Amino acid sequence: VLSFAAFAQNVVRYDLTIDYKNVNYSGKTVKALAINGQIPAPQLTFTEGDIAEIHVKNNLTEESSLHWHGILLPNEQDGVPYLTTTPIKPQGTHLFRFPIRQSGTYWYHSHSN
């Protein structure tokens, strides 16, 4: 008897937009950077075994980047501009796609300016 098991991987998609936002935390309005209008940036939730698919739009007037801190992923998806990943040009987009291979709590941040 021949048997096998097939496991479908769940693709979890997020759309992130990097943009300027006016904030006032101290009585003075200043321009800050936000993702999807949020400071801090939105929480992304995955389950081990998922495929992360993160579409990033850069609405800034300068290059930007997102680096996935501490999570195991293919080197070219790491997000460090000019080292592992092409920077996201002004008004440009980038697709990050990688398997979630371990559980835990991790964070992401920019490596640009």
Side-chain angles (χ1 to χ4, degrees), residues 62-99:
E62 60 187 287
E63 292 179 342
S64 192
S65 63
L66 287 182
H67 167 63
W68 312 101
H69 209 275
I71 192 162
L72 299 173
L73 45 67
N75 194 48
E76 69 276 2
Q77 297 295 306
D78 190 53
V80 178
Y82 297 108
L83 184 61
T84 61
T85 309
T86 303
I88 308 167
K89 300 289 184 196
Q91 304 306 309
T93 61
H94 185 84
L95 169 61
F96 291 94
R97 186 176 167 95
F98 51 87

Side-chain angles (χ1 to χ4, degrees), residues 28-46:
K28 180 181 178 186
T29 300
V30 297
K31 185 166 56 169
L33 294 178
I35 297 181
N36 291 3
Q38 295 179 232
I39 301 171
Q43 176 178 302
L44 311 181
T45 302
F46 304 96

Side-chain angles (χ1 to χ4, degrees), residues 16-17 19 21 23 25 33-43 108:
L16 303 179
T17 301
D19 209 341
K21 177 181 181 172
V23 297
Y25 296 122
L33 294 178
I35 297 181
N36 291 3
Q38 295 179 232
I39 301 171
Q43 176 178 302
Y108 60 101

